Amino acid sequence: MSRKVVSGMRRLLAALLVVLLPVSVGAVAPARAAVSTATTTTVTSSANPGIAMAEIAYTAVLAPNPGASLPVAWFVDGVSIYTGATDAGGTSVMSRPLPVGTHQIYAQFVGGNGFGPSQSAVVTEVLNNPPGTSVAAQAVGITPGLFYPVKDGY
């Protein structure tokens, strides 16, 4: 190619770059990290101590209220057992029957809608046998007072 053609191509390329890239590379602002509002998560139990295998409600309250439909992960004894969502009041409720013993329960708010993540303190839940229930009956899932139907004569 002649110098004249190459020079014309360079001018054309420069003109296109001016049109397509109106801001010079040096003038591009650096990306900013998203700023999020700090949150706290507080967990409470509806019964502590409680009765094993009963439906006990654990409630996580987030402050400030991040709004509805944001994920909250629930942990029992260090194992994630449930992922719920916040309601319009910024709370999440988990209810699971747990066996006899002492359990460590906490919740983690994942964050979202401009709110940062947070984790609650551990709630130590003590669950006892129902009154009149032996440890052996609890181990096999027999609850006194419940009717267990006999099937086919057995």
Side-chain angles (χ1 to χ4, degrees), residues 47-83:
N48 194 5
I51 302 299
M53 303 312 289
E55 290 286 330
I56 297 175
Y58 302 95
T59 304
V61 178
L62 285 97
N65 179 355
S69 303
L70 296 173
V72 176
W74 287 89
F75 295 81
V76 174
D77 299 328
V79 177
S80 176
I81 64 162
Y82 175 70
T83 300

mmCIF file of all heavy atoms in Angstrom, residues 47-83:
data_model
loop_
_atom_site.group_PDB
_atom_site.id
_atom_site.type_symbol
_atom_site.label_atom_id
_atom_site.label_comp_id
_atom_site.label_asym_id
_atom_site.label_seq_id
_atom_site.Cartn_x
_atom_site.Cartn_y
_atom_site.Cartn_z
ATOM 1 N N ALA A 47 -39.180 -21.217 72.609
ATOM 2 C CA ALA A 47 -39.178 -22.038 73.823
ATOM 3 C C ALA A 47 -37.766 -22.523 74.105
ATOM 4 O O ALA A 47 -37.224 -23.317 73.350
ATOM 5 C CB ALA A 47 -40.113 -23.226 73.663
ATOM 6 N N ASN A 48 -37.173 -22.038 75.192
ATOM 7 C CA ASN A 48 -35.833 -22.474 75.559
ATOM 8 C C ASN A 48 -35.706 -22.432 77.077
ATOM 9 O O ASN A 48 -35.732 -21.351 77.648
ATOM 10 C CB ASN A 48 -34.777 -21.579 74.911
ATOM 11 C CG ASN A 48 -33.390 -22.182 74.976
ATOM 12 O OD1 ASN A 48 -33.205 -23.301 75.426
ATOM 13 N ND2 ASN A 48 -32.420 -21.417 74.524
ATOM 14 N N PRO A 49 -35.640 -23.585 77.750
ATOM 15 C CA PRO A 49 -35.550 -24.925 77.163
ATOM 16 C C PRO A 49 -36.876 -25.341 76.534
ATOM 17 O O PRO A 49 -37.930 -24.788 76.851
ATOM 18 C CB PRO A 49 -35.196 -25.811 78.352
ATOM 19 C CG PRO A 49 -35.679 -25.076 79.550
ATOM 20 C CD PRO A 49 -35.591 -23.613 79.211
ATOM 21 N N GLY A 50 -36.771 -26.316 75.659
ATOM 22 C CA GLY A 50 -37.946 -26.789 74.949
ATOM 23 C C GLY A 50 -38.064 -28.304 75.001
ATOM 24 O O GLY A 50 -37.248 -28.984 75.626
ATOM 25 N N ILE A 51 -39.077 -28.804 74.331
ATOM 26 C CA ILE A 51 -39.327 -30.239 74.254
ATOM 27 C C ILE A 51 -38.813 -30.750 72.910
ATOM 28 O O ILE A 51 -39.116 -30.174 71.858
ATOM 29 C CB ILE A 51 -40.842 -30.550 74.382
ATOM 30 C CG1 ILE A 51 -41.389 -30.003 75.705
ATOM 31 C CG2 ILE A 51 -41.111 -32.044 74.251
ATOM 32 C CD1 ILE A 51 -40.752 -30.588 76.945
ATOM 33 N N ALA A 52 -38.047 -31.823 72.962
ATOM 34 C CA ALA A 52 -37.481 -32.408 71.745
ATOM 35 C C ALA A 52 -38.580 -32.814 70.777
ATOM 36 O O ALA A 52 -39.664 -33.231 71.178
ATOM 37 C CB ALA A 52 -36.629 -33.613 72.093
ATOM 38 N N MET A 53 -38.309 -32.666 69.513
ATOM 39 C CA MET A 53 -39.168 -33.029 68.395
ATOM 40 C C MET A 53 -40.441 -32.185 68.317
ATOM 41 O O MET A 53 -41.330 -32.466 67.536
ATOM 42 C CB MET A 53 -39.510 -34.521 68.403
ATOM 43 C CG MET A 53 -38.268 -35.422 68.384
ATOM 44 S SD MET A 53 -37.025 -34.978 67.131
ATOM 45 C CE MET A 53 -37.851 -35.458 65.640
ATOM 46 N N ALA A 54 -40.531 -31.134 69.120
ATOM 47 C CA ALA A 54 -41.665 -30.210 69.034
ATOM 48 C C ALA A 54 -41.308 -29.120 68.024
ATOM 49 O O ALA A 54 -40.138 -28.853 67.762
ATOM 50 C CB ALA A 54 -41.943 -29.596 70.404
ATOM 51 N N GLU A 55 -42.308 -28.510 67.449
ATOM 52 C CA GLU A 55 -42.082 -27.408 66.516
ATOM 53 C C GLU A 55 -41.773 -26.144 67.318
ATOM 54 O O GLU A 55 -42.665 -25.550 67.917
ATOM 55 C CB GLU A 55 -43.305 -27.186 65.624
ATOM 56 C CG GLU A 55 -43.537 -28.284 64.623
ATOM 57 C CD GLU A 55 -42.552 -28.278 63.466
ATOM 58 O OE1 GLU A 55 -42.059 -27.205 63.092
ATOM 59 O OE2 GLU A 55 -42.278 -29.363 62.944
ATOM 60 N N ILE A 56 -40.527 -25.781 67.365
ATOM 61 C CA ILE A 56 -40.092 -24.562 68.050
ATOM 62 C C ILE A 56 -39.719 -23.561 66.973
ATOM 63 O O ILE A 56 -38.983 -23.884 66.042
ATOM 64 C CB ILE A 56 -38.907 -24.848 68.986
ATOM 65 C CG1 ILE A 56 -39.357 -25.815 70.075
ATOM 66 C CG2 ILE A 56 -38.372 -23.548 69.576
ATOM 67 C CD1 ILE A 56 -38.250 -26.276 70.985
ATOM 68 N N ALA A 57 -40.229 -22.355 67.091
ATOM 69 C CA ALA A 57 -39.954 -21.314 66.083
ATOM 70 C C ALA A 57 -38.727 -20.518 66.503
ATOM 71 O O ALA A 57 -38.611 -20.076 67.648
ATOM 72 C CB ALA A 57 -41.153 -20.393 65.940
ATOM 73 N N TYR A 58 -37.829 -20.344 65.554
ATOM 74 C CA TYR A 58 -36.649 -19.498 65.740
ATOM 75 C C TYR A 58 -36.828 -18.309 64.799
ATOM 76 O O TYR A 58 -37.098 -18.487 63.614
ATOM 77 C CB TYR A 58 -35.377 -20.274 65.417
ATOM 78 C CG TYR A 58 -35.242 -21.510 66.280
ATOM 79 C CD1 TYR A 58 -35.679 -22.743 65.829
ATOM 80 C CD2 TYR A 58 -34.730 -21.408 67.569
ATOM 81 C CE1 TYR A 58 -35.588 -23.865 66.629
ATOM 82 C CE2 TYR A 58 -34.639 -22.532 68.378
ATOM 83 C CZ TYR A 58 -35.072 -23.761 67.903
ATOM 84 O OH TYR A 58 -34.995 -24.874 68.704
ATOM 85 N N THR A 59 -36.686 -17.119 65.336
ATOM 86 C CA THR A 59 -36.929 -15.911 64.561
ATOM 87 C C THR A 59 -35.663 -15.085 64.467
ATOM 88 O O THR A 59 -35.032 -14.797 65.481
ATOM 89 C CB THR A 59 -38.046 -15.061 65.206
ATOM 90 O OG1 THR A 59 -39.218 -15.869 65.331
ATOM 91 C CG2 THR A 59 -38.366 -13.837 64.369
ATOM 92 N N ALA A 60 -35.296 -14.709 63.240
ATOM 93 C CA ALA A 60 -34.171 -13.811 63.000
ATOM 94 C C ALA A 60 -34.738 -12.447 62.637
ATOM 95 O O ALA A 60 -35.570 -12.340 61.736
ATOM 96 C CB ALA A 60 -33.294 -14.328 61.865
ATOM 97 N N VAL A 61 -34.302 -11.433 63.354
ATOM 98 C CA VAL A 61 -34.738 -10.062 63.089
ATOM 99 C C VAL A 61 -33.533 -9.279 62.594
ATOM 100 O O VAL A 61 -32.484 -9.270 63.236
ATOM 101 C CB VAL A 61 -35.316 -9.395 64.361
ATOM 102 C CG1 VAL A 61 -35.718 -7.960 64.069
ATOM 103 C CG2 VAL A 61 -36.496 -10.197 64.880
ATOM 104 N N LEU A 62 -33.691 -8.639 61.435
ATOM 105 C CA LEU A 62 -32.602 -7.844 60.863
ATOM 106 C C LEU A 62 -32.835 -6.370 61.135
ATOM 107 O O LEU A 62 -33.957 -5.884 61.034
ATOM 108 C CB LEU A 62 -32.507 -8.090 59.352
ATOM 109 C CG LEU A 62 -31.877 -9.438 59.043
ATOM 110 C CD1 LEU A 62 -32.944 -10.459 58.776
ATOM 111 C CD2 LEU A 62 -30.949 -9.312 57.900
ATOM 112 N N ALA A 63 -31.764 -5.682 61.472
ATOM 113 C CA ALA A 63 -31.838 -4.241 61.707
ATOM 114 C C ALA A 63 -30.662 -3.572 61.005
ATOM 115 O O ALA A 63 -29.547 -4.059 61.115
ATOM 116 C CB ALA A 63 -31.817 -3.938 63.201
ATOM 117 N N PRO A 64 -30.902 -2.521 60.262
ATOM 118 C CA PRO A 64 -32.215 -2.009 59.887
ATOM 119 C C PRO A 64 -32.918 -2.970 58.927
ATOM 120 O O PRO A 64 -32.296 -3.845 58.347
ATOM 121 C CB PRO A 64 -31.895 -0.679 59.205
ATOM 122 C CG PRO A 64 -30.504 -0.830 58.689
ATOM 123 C CD PRO A 64 -29.803 -1.745 59.660
ATOM 124 N N ASN A 65 -34.216 -2.764 58.772
ATOM 125 C CA ASN A 65 -35.041 -3.634 57.936
ATOM 126 C C ASN A 65 -34.605 -3.530 56.470
ATOM 127 O O ASN A 65 -34.732 -2.475 55.863
ATOM 128 C CB ASN A 65 -36.506 -3.221 58.083
ATOM 129 C CG ASN A 65 -37.449 -4.056 57.239
ATOM 130 O OD1 ASN A 65 -37.042 -4.901 56.460
ATOM 131 N ND2 ASN A 65 -38.735 -3.811 57.394
ATOM 132 N N PRO A 66 -34.117 -4.642 55.863
ATOM 133 C CA PRO A 66 -33.688 -4.601 54.466
ATOM 134 C C PRO A 66 -34.820 -4.825 53.465
ATOM 135 O O PRO A 66 -34.611 -4.729 52.265
ATOM 136 C CB PRO A 66 -32.684 -5.743 54.394
ATOM 137 C CG PRO A 66 -33.216 -6.731 55.375
ATOM 138 C CD PRO A 66 -33.809 -5.918 56.490
ATOM 139 N N GLY A 67 -36.008 -5.168 53.956
ATOM 140 C CA GLY A 67 -37.123 -5.443 53.056
ATOM 141 C C GLY A 67 -37.347 -6.930 52.877
ATOM 142 O O GLY A 67 -36.694 -7.763 53.499
ATOM 143 N N ALA A 68 -38.276 -7.264 52.009
ATOM 144 C CA ALA A 68 -38.710 -8.650 51.828
ATOM 145 C C ALA A 68 -37.892 -9.398 50.785
ATOM 146 O O ALA A 68 -37.229 -8.806 49.941
ATOM 147 C CB ALA A 68 -40.191 -8.670 51.430
ATOM 148 N N SER A 69 -37.975 -10.710 50.883
ATOM 149 C CA SER A 69 -37.453 -11.664 49.883
ATOM 150 C C SER A 69 -35.937 -11.718 49.784
ATOM 151 O O SER A 69 -35.402 -12.024 48.721
ATOM 152 C CB SER A 69 -38.054 -11.374 48.506
ATOM 153 O OG SER A 69 -39.459 -11.430 48.565
ATOM 154 N N LEU A 70 -35.242 -11.448 50.880
ATOM 155 C CA LEU A 70 -33.784 -11.571 50.877
ATOM 156 C C LEU A 70 -33.395 -12.825 51.661
ATOM 157 O O LEU A 70 -34.022 -13.162 52.653
ATOM 158 C CB LEU A 70 -33.142 -10.325 51.485
ATOM 159 C CG LEU A 70 -33.394 -9.054 50.675
ATOM 160 C CD1 LEU A 70 -32.884 -7.831 51.422
ATOM 161 C CD2 LEU A 70 -32.733 -9.150 49.311
ATOM 162 N N PRO A 71 -32.350 -13.543 51.212
ATOM 163 C CA PRO A 71 -32.021 -14.841 51.810
ATOM 164 C C PRO A 71 -31.401 -14.770 53.202
ATOM 165 O O PRO A 71 -30.553 -13.933 53.477
ATOM 166 C CB PRO A 71 -31.030 -15.451 50.811
ATOM 167 C CG PRO A 71 -30.465 -14.299 50.072
ATOM 168 C CD PRO A 71 -31.501 -13.222 50.071
ATOM 169 N N VAL A 72 -31.870 -15.696 54.053
ATOM 170 C CA VAL A 72 -31.319 -15.901 55.388
ATOM 171 C C VAL A 72 -31.037 -17.395 55.522
ATOM 172 O O VAL A 72 -31.936 -18.222 55.348
ATOM 173 C CB VAL A 72 -32.294 -15.450 56.491
ATOM 174 C CG1 VAL A 72 -31.736 -15.777 57.874
ATOM 175 C CG2 VAL A 72 -32.596 -13.960 56.374
ATOM 176 N N ALA A 73 -29.778 -17.746 55.803
ATOM 177 C CA ALA A 73 -29.390 -19.148 55.973
ATOM 178 C C ALA A 73 -29.419 -19.490 57.454
ATOM 179 O O ALA A 73 -28.933 -18.720 58.283
ATOM 180 C CB ALA A 73 -27.994 -19.384 55.404
ATOM 181 N N TRP A 74 -29.987 -20.650 57.782
ATOM 182 C CA TRP A 74 -30.111 -21.102 59.164
ATOM 183 C C TRP A 74 -29.187 -22.281 59.403
ATOM 184 O O TRP A 74 -29.100 -23.185 58.570
ATOM 185 C CB TRP A 74 -31.546 -21.515 59.455
ATOM 186 C CG TRP A 74 -32.478 -20.361 59.572
ATOM 187 C CD1 TRP A 74 -33.185 -19.771 58.568
ATOM 188 C CD2 TRP A 74 -32.784 -19.639 60.755
ATOM 189 N NE1 TRP A 74 -33.917 -18.730 59.068
ATOM 190 C CE2 TRP A 74 -33.692 -18.629 60.411
ATOM 191 C CE3 TRP A 74 -32.383 -19.742 62.089
ATOM 192 C CZ2 TRP A 74 -34.203 -17.735 61.355
ATOM 193 C CZ3 TRP A 74 -32.901 -18.858 63.017
ATOM 194 C CH2 TRP A 74 -33.796 -17.871 62.648
ATOM 195 N N PHE A 75 -28.519 -22.272 60.565
ATOM 196 C CA PHE A 75 -27.557 -23.312 60.914
ATOM 197 C C PHE A 75 -27.913 -23.915 62.265
ATOM 198 O O PHE A 75 -28.262 -23.199 63.202
ATOM 199 C CB PHE A 75 -26.145 -22.730 60.996
ATOM 200 C CG PHE A 75 -25.631 -22.226 59.680
ATOM 201 C CD1 PHE A 75 -25.993 -20.977 59.211
ATOM 202 C CD2 PHE A 75 -24.787 -23.006 58.907
ATOM 203 C CE1 PHE A 75 -25.533 -20.501 57.991
ATOM 204 C CE2 PHE A 75 -24.319 -22.545 57.695
ATOM 205 C CZ PHE A 75 -24.691 -21.293 57.229
ATOM 206 N N VAL A 76 -27.815 -25.249 62.348
ATOM 207 C CA VAL A 76 -27.962 -25.963 63.608
ATOM 208 C C VAL A 76 -26.723 -26.815 63.776
ATOM 209 O O VAL A 76 -26.383 -27.612 62.897
ATOM 210 C CB VAL A 76 -29.237 -26.843 63.626
ATOM 211 C CG1 VAL A 76 -29.287 -27.683 64.899
ATOM 212 C CG2 VAL A 76 -30.481 -25.978 63.513
ATOM 213 N N ASP A 77 -26.040 -26.606 64.884
ATOM 214 C CA ASP A 77 -24.805 -27.331 65.187
ATOM 215 C C ASP A 77 -23.797 -27.224 64.041
ATOM 216 O O ASP A 77 -23.114 -28.185 63.693
ATOM 217 C CB ASP A 77 -25.111 -28.791 65.524
ATOM 218 C CG ASP A 77 -26.019 -28.918 66.741
ATOM 219 O OD1 ASP A 77 -25.931 -28.054 67.635
ATOM 220 O OD2 ASP A 77 -26.821 -29.869 66.799
ATOM 221 N N GLY A 78 -23.723 -26.047 63.436
ATOM 222 C CA GLY A 78 -22.739 -25.767 62.388
ATOM 223 C C GLY A 78 -23.114 -26.240 61.001
ATOM 224 O O GLY A 78 -22.346 -26.068 60.061
ATOM 225 N N VAL A 79 -24.295 -26.837 60.842
ATOM 226 C CA VAL A 79 -24.724 -27.366 59.547
ATOM 227 C C VAL A 79 -25.890 -26.522 59.029
ATOM 228 O O VAL A 79 -26.866 -26.299 59.746
ATOM 229 C CB VAL A 79 -25.158 -28.844 59.667
ATOM 230 C CG1 VAL A 79 -25.675 -29.377 58.338
ATOM 231 C CG2 VAL A 79 -24.012 -29.695 60.181
ATOM 232 N N SER A 80 -25.789 -26.084 57.783
ATOM 233 C CA SER A 80 -26.877 -25.324 57.178
ATOM 234 C C SER A 80 -28.050 -26.268 56.938
ATOM 235 O O SER A 80 -27.913 -27.264 56.241
ATOM 236 C CB SER A 80 -26.420 -24.707 55.855
ATOM 237 O OG SER A 80 -27.497 -24.044 55.234
ATOM 238 N N ILE A 81 -29.200 -25.932 57.547
ATOM 239 C CA ILE A 81 -30.351 -26.834 57.418
ATOM 240 C C ILE A 81 -31.514 -26.205 56.680
ATOM 241 O O ILE A 81 -32.463 -26.898 56.323
ATOM 242 C CB ILE A 81 -30.833 -27.336 58.792
ATOM 243 C CG1 ILE A 81 -31.361 -26.182 59.643
ATOM 244 C CG2 ILE A 81 -29.760 -28.119 59.505
ATOM 245 C CD1 ILE A 81 -32.221 -26.631 60.787
ATOM 246 N N TYR A 82 -31.458 -24.882 56.468
ATOM 247 C CA TYR A 82 -32.619 -24.228 55.859
ATOM 248 C C TYR A 82 -32.200 -22.850 55.358
ATOM 249 O O TYR A 82 -31.392 -22.170 55.987
ATOM 250 C CB TYR A 82 -33.720 -24.073 56.909
ATOM 251 C CG TYR A 82 -34.938 -23.300 56.471
ATOM 252 C CD1 TYR A 82 -35.825 -23.819 55.550
ATOM 253 C CD2 TYR A 82 -35.209 -22.046 57.012
ATOM 254 C CE1 TYR A 82 -36.959 -23.112 55.165
ATOM 255 C CE2 TYR A 82 -36.343 -21.330 56.635
ATOM 256 C CZ TYR A 82 -37.208 -21.871 55.712
ATOM 257 O OH TYR A 82 -38.320 -21.179 55.330
ATOM 258 N N THR A 83 -32.748 -22.461 54.224
ATOM 259 C CA THR A 83 -32.578 -21.098 53.745
ATOM 260 C C THR A 83 -33.963 -20.509 53.557
ATOM 261 O O THR A 83 -34.749 -21.016 52.774
ATOM 262 C CB THR A 83 -31.776 -21.046 52.420
ATOM 263 O OG1 THR A 83 -30.494 -21.614 52.646
ATOM 264 C CG2 THR A 83 -31.632 -19.612 51.949
#
